[in-house]
Amino acid sequence: MKFKLRKLSRPITKSIPKKPGKKEEPLDHSLPNNLDELMKRTGNSSDIVVRKLTLNNDAKSRAAIIFVEGIVDNRSIDDFLIHSLINDDDLHRVEAEDEVLEKIAAKVVSLGDVKRINGWDKLFQSLFAGDTIILVDGIAQGLSTYTKGGESRSIEEPPTEISLRGPREGFTESLRTNTALVRRRIKNQDLWVKSITLGEMTNTNVEIMYIDGLARDKVVQEVCDRLNRINIDSILESGYIEELIEDQTATTFPTVQHTERPDSVAGNLLEGRVAIFVDRTPFVLIVPAVFIQFFQSVDDYYSRADIATSIRMLRILIFLISLFAPAVYVAATTFHQEMIPTQLLIVLAAQREAAPFPAVIEAILMELTFEILREAGVRMPKAVGQTISIVGALVIGQAAVQAGIVSPAMVIIVAITAIASFATPSYSIAISARLIRFGMMIAAATFGFYGIILSFIILLVHLCSLRSFGVPYMAPMAPFIASGADDTIVRLPWWGGKERPRLTVDKNSIRQGDNQKPKPPSSRTMK
């Protein structure tokens, strides 16, 4: 599959032609031969329905419609295909056999998106995508009609991205429903969609969406090139693609953002980013992604700027606590007792007097125990998962303290760290902190605060070296870009940000006009 970037006259979904060099096996002129070959290739699968019929009650004009039960709209097939093909009078007036399909597509079938099929590969691709195939005896071609349907999940708020004020809509497993949710928010002809099929076995539909004139052409082309390089047998979820297109693999930090919220995708598209939709998954990928982006929430843009800024600063503090709290405790109690206030040091010394393990062993044991409880709470049934995790943490923590295995202060530190990791808005960045936290504890146990500082410097150097589709990961802070700094840790009011971030937009960077700041009416005007 190859993407071809070119100007489109209207914002339609462009299908990408198959790679050249693979010759498709054609259909046969005989309808019985085609049906026999179809059932042979599918192993006589019971969910494939073949409905044989005669066109306009003419026994010599035989045809068949083929569909997969469960992924089609049965009412559309009955009302707009079978009934029309059997009772249409215009088919009697067709003299040449080659004109039968044209007449069916033009006047008989009252469904959208009717395509010609010349070979078996396209037939199976359309059939298993939910389309209905029409084959006519004596013609070595067929028609594919859009009849996608079947059971699907309703639109509801995503459980992993709760919003206090924003819309209560989330993506579903339907690709076309997901793109429609974004189009409802951006009603613009420059919102373009391009499609590709990935996975040799699954033939998964993948679409990229961007706003022409905002997204950089180089970024869009890079996304297309990376998708074209994917050669894998299956794409079952967007996580497959995320791992195959990311810039850096030797890092725990995410360089591709994923979200279930249409308003989040729309906001990123308006900033010049590219969204990647994958069929049968509600998670949409957004590229390029920067570090500060994972600490932002959709609620930040629906609240006042001062409130959003305060909450973002709190999120940064929460992330630092989840990353450094156990390491700081280990370093302070092991190497730098002089930095602890005397009264607190006496209390900590009394607690650790009966503890059999060093502080670092306590920290690692408690962190591992909590990770086990967290994973158990996620994997167990929802009705008992939270209960098990809460009760397990209380019982194990209390029992460990009473048994003298760990000190009470260590239990408090681990509990605060765990709560801080839950408060991080992005799961991807939170799990990165959970993994790096163990390295920080080992560095603290080895060199004290010097090890923590050295590890932090190495971490900053690593973050500054990352790229996401050519964009520096720590931008707009490193390197500092003034046009994008109005929406980082600090969010300026809407009337204060005139330009779009230069990270992702190199043209049409003006977001709004001048003099957008609200002005109260003067007392003279109110009289």
Side-chain angles (χ1 to χ4, degrees):
M1 302 292 177
K2 287 293 181 183
F3 277 107
K4 295 182 180 179
L5 292 180
R6 61 183 182 86
K7 290 290 183 180
L8 299 177
S9 58
R10 54 198 178 109
I12 60 174
T13 301
K14 284 295 290 181
S15 298
I16 309 303
K18 301 191 71 170
K19 291 181 180 180
K22 184 178 180 180
K23 190 174 181 180
E24 189 172 10
E25 187 176 352
L27 299 175
D28 195 85
H29 285 80
S30 173
L31 178 62
N33 291 345
N34 286 331
L35 296 180
D36 291 341
E37 183 69 16
L38 172 71
M39 300 310 295
K40 178 182 177 181
R41 295 194 180 198
T42 57
N44 291 314
S45 299
S46 58
D47 59 341
I48 296 179
V49 179
V50 178
R51 173 71 160 84
K52 300 179 182 178
L53 46 86
T54 56
L55 303 179
N56 198 19
N57 297 320
D58 185 1
K60 296 181 180 180
S61 301
R62 295 178 299 171
I65 61 171
I66 309 160
F67 59 91
V68 179
E69 190 175 8
I71 62 174
V72 297
D73 185 1
N74 292 318
R75 178 172 295 181
S76 298
I77 296 175
D78 294 336
D79 296 344
F80 303 110
L81 280 182
I82 298 178
H83 186 270
S84 300
L85 289 172
I86 293 177
N87 299 317
D88 194 274
D89 296 332
D90 292 336
L91 294 177
H92 264 322
R93 305 185 183 95
V94 179
E95 296 181 357
E97 290 185 345
D98 295 340
E99 298 179 3
V100 174
L101 291 182
E102 296 182 5
K103 180 67 70 173
I104 293 176
K107 291 189 176 182
V108 178
V109 177
S110 54
L111 290 171
D113 198 11
V114 180
K115 300 177 182 177
R116 284 258 187 168
I117 293 178
N118 299 316
W120 286 105
D121 290 342
K122 290 183 179 179
L123 186 147
F124 285 120
Q125 184 175 352
S126 299
L127 179 66
F128 294 116
D131 295 337
T132 297
I133 309 300
I134 302 175
L135 298 179
V136 179
D137 192 23
I139 303 176
Q141 291 182 341
L143 290 177
S144 170
T145 61
Y146 184 89
T147 56
K148 292 182 176 67
E151 296 294 331
S152 61
R153 185 168 61 92
S154 61
I155 298 174
E156 55 189 16
E157 186 175 12
T160 58
E161 297 178 73
I162 303 297
S163 175
L164 300 178
R165 184 175 176 177
R168 299 294 188 262
E169 290 181 329
F171 289 125
T172 68
E173 285 73 22
S174 173
L175 177 63
R176 194 52 58 224
T177 300
N178 295 342
T179 56
L181 287 173
V182 179
R183 281 206 180 273
R184 290 176 183 175
R185 287 164 170 80
I186 306 177
K187 306 177 183 68
N188 194 292
Q189 64 178 2
D190 293 328
L191 182 63
W192 290 3
V193 181
K194 297 183 181 295
S195 64
I196 187 174
T197 302
L198 297 178
E200 296 294 330
M201 299 292 293
T202 58
N203 288 313
T204 306
N205 294 327
V206 179
E207 294 187 350
I208 68 168
M209 177 182 288
Y210 62 97
I211 299 179
D212 182 57
L214 291 186
R216 291 186 175 183
D217 293 337
K218 292 183 179 179
V219 174
V220 176
Q221 185 62 57
E222 181 65 23
V223 173
C224 297
D225 292 341
R226 295 190 188 187
L227 290 176
N228 284 322
R229 288 197 295 266
I230 294 177
N231 185 12
I232 192 172
D233 62 342
S234 62
I235 298 291
L236 299 179
E237 210 271 340
S238 58
Y240 285 58
I241 295 178
E242 179 179 354
E243 195 170 350
L244 291 169
I245 66 174
E246 59 186 357
D247 290 60
Q248 179 62 264
T249 58
T251 180
T252 61
F253 292 94
T255 56
V256 177
Q257 185 186 10
H258 61 264
T259 180
E260 290 185 81
R261 297 190 62 91
D263 52 344
S264 178
V265 173
N268 282 280
L269 291 175
L270 292 170
E271 291 185 350
R273 293 184 172 88
V274 180
I276 303 174
F277 294 78
V278 182
D279 196 16
R280 311 316 303 169
T281 175
F283 290 94
V284 175
L285 306 180
I286 298 174
V287 294
V290 294
F291 179 75
I292 195 62
Q293 189 175 337
F294 295 94
F295 296 93
Q296 299 171 352
S297 173
V298 292
D299 278 329
D300 299 346
Y301 302 96
Y302 305 144
S303 306
R304 290 174 51 87
D306 50 354
I307 297 175
T309 300
S310 302
I311 295 177
R312 284 186 181 180
M313 292 180 177
L314 178 62
R315 292 183 189 132
I316 298 295
L317 177 61
I318 288 171
F319 177 76
L320 295 177
I321 290 175
S322 66
L323 192 62
F324 293 110
V328 170
Y329 177 82
V330 170
T333 56
T334 305
F335 292 97
H336 309 282
Q337 294 91 347
E338 69 278 1
M339 300 183 65
I340 305 175
T342 305
Q343 289 294 111
L344 179 59
L345 180 61
I346 294 173
V347 174
L348 294 178
Q351 293 178 1
R352 292 198 46 78
E353 184 177 0
F357 302 113
V360 62
I361 301 299
E362 286 186 11
I364 293 177
L365 286 176
M366 291 303 297
E367 287 289 343
L368 287 175
T369 302
F370 193 85
E371 292 296 330
I372 293 172
L373 289 172
R374 187 205 307 259
E375 191 67 16
V378 171
R379 304 303 170 192
M380 292 189 69
K382 187 178 296 184
V384 297
Q386 294 182 353
T387 304
I388 292 296
S389 58
I390 294 173
V391 174
L394 292 175
V395 171
I396 293 176
Q398 184 67 23
V401 171
Q402 291 182 350
I405 299 176
V406 297
S407 62
M410 178 59 70
V411 175
I412 295 174
I413 293 296
V414 171
I416 293 175
T417 304
I419 295 173
S421 64
F422 281 125
T424 306
S426 173
Y427 174 79
S428 300
I429 206 75
I431 198 171
S432 297
R434 287 161 54 185
L435 294 175
I436 298 173
R437 187 160 61 228
F438 288 95
M440 289 290 181
M441 287 188 291
I442 295 175
T446 306
F447 301 106
F449 279 123
Y450 300 104
I452 296 176
I453 295 172
L454 180 61
S455 300
F456 183 60
I457 293 174
I458 294 174
L459 184 63
L460 285 180
V461 172
H462 172 69
L463 288 173
C464 292
S465 67
L466 295 179
R467 294 291 186 274
S468 178
F469 286 80
V471 176
Y473 193 58
M474 292 300 291
M477 297 175 289
F480 181 75
I481 302 175
S483 64
D486 57 353
D487 188 18
T488 52
I489 300 177
V490 176
R491 183 182 82 78
L492 294 182
W494 285 116
W495 46 263
K498 183 179 178 181
E499 296 184 359
R500 293 186 176 90
R502 293 294 179 90
L503 291 172
T504 52
V505 176
D506 55 0
K507 51 187 176 181
N508 194 14
S509 60
I510 303 301
R511 187 195 299 269
Q512 60 189 7
D514 297 327
N515 301 322
Q516 296 295 311
K517 184 177 180 179
K519 295 181 179 179
S522 61
S523 58
R524 181 178 301 177
T525 305
M526 296 299 292
K527 291 182 179 179

